[in-house]
Amino acid sequence: MVPEPLIEVVPQAPPVAALHRLWLAVSRAGGAVAFVPDSPEQEIRAAAQHAVDEVAAGRLHLLAIREGDELTGTVFLRPGPGPRVAHRAEVVRLMVDPSRQGRGRGTALLTAAVAHARALGLEQLLLSARGGTPLPAFYAARGWTAAGVWRDALHLGPDDRRDEHWFQLRL
Ligand SMILES: CC(C)(COP(=O)(O)OP(=O)(O)OC[C@H]1O[C@@H](n2cnc3c(N)ncnc32)[C@H](O)[C@@H]1OP(=O)(O)O)[C@@H](O)C(=O)NCCC(=O)NCCS
């Protein structure tokens, strides 16, 4: 397991290059974070830039693992954008560098995101996981409640349609 102090709430936007590097490596390795393995690098870079801008604007909260100079894991919280949904947040872009997966970092990031959401006074979290991957089981095993399946919500390629599995956690 990764010791908890390694995970920090990043108060300011991280360098785009660091997030781009991580996101690219995770996507190329088949990670389910908005892209497919052969997604164009410039699209991933644009997504990293957008995420950094959203952190800077305060619309996304970033929790990260840094090891040496490297960003090796992230998770973001996106609080609901308005009074009717301000009590909740979406958990997005949970990702760990492929060379470091399977050793507790993802679980530790998710736990830290939940703790951060509680500290913000939020009442519930939601997230979606790509069907046809171990991810729905990953969240179910960590106490999240299955809230429904959106059939064929994702088009990963001409013959590759996936369901989106939604999960909820009451805080
Ligand atoms: C999902 C992910 C964040 C988990 O982080 P991790 O550090 O590898 O996970 P941990 O070591 O804490 O926990 C191991 C668990 O992750 C699962 N796991 C390991 N590698 C995985 C992978 N590439 N994809 C999905 N799940 C994976 C294992 O099945 C194991 O589940 P279990 O303990 O319930 O049996 C990480 O594997 C990852 O970055 N995957 C690619 C990005 C991604 O798909 N993110 C999900 C967005 S919804």
Side-chain angles (χ1 to χ4, degrees):
M1 292 293 292
V2 184
E4 255 179 53
L6 269 179
I7 297 180
E8 54 178 348
V9 179
V10 179
Q12 282 140 4
V16 175
L19 183 58
H20 172 226
R21 190 210 62 78
L22 172 65
W23 205 334
L24 183 66
V26 168
S27 299
R28 292 287 182 260
V33 272
F35 295 106
V36 291
D38 62 355
S39 289
E41 182 169 349
Q42 65 268 29
E43 284 184 17
I44 298 172
R45 194 176 197 294
Q49 178 69 64
H50 181 66
V52 165
D53 292 346
E54 290 291 284
V55 171
R59 287 187 290 268
L60 272 183
H61 297 243
L62 167 62
L63 290 87
I65 301 179
R66 279 194 259 233
E67 295 176 69
D69 292 339
E70 241 187 304
L71 186 69
T72 59
T74 59
V75 63
F76 294 80
L77 284 183
R78 183 161 49 213
R84 246 52 65 196
V85 289
H87 63 295
R88 71 189 204 202
E90 189 174 356
V91 175
V92 294
R93 316 305 180 227
L94 173 64
M95 55 182 155
V96 171
D97 184 88
S99 68
R100 293 178 162 94
Q101 289 175 8
R103 282 177 277 156
R105 289 173 175 81
T107 302
L109 278 164
L110 190 61
T111 302
V114 170
H116 184 60
R118 285 204 176 98
L120 292 173
L122 297 175
E123 292 173 22
Q124 53 176 289
L125 294 173
L126 76 155
L127 61 78
S128 67
R130 189 180 289 181
T133 71
L135 291 162
F138 174 84
Y139 294 111
R142 282 155 185 81
W144 288 67
T145 302
V149 179
W150 186 355
R151 299 288 172 204
D152 292 335
L154 301 169
H155 283 192
L156 301 190
D159 301 315
D160 191 358
R161 289 166 191 236
R162 300 292 181 90
D163 298 339
E164 223 168 44
H165 295 247
W166 285 87
F167 286 87
Q168 181 181 16
L169 188 75
R170 287 188 183 273
L171 301 172

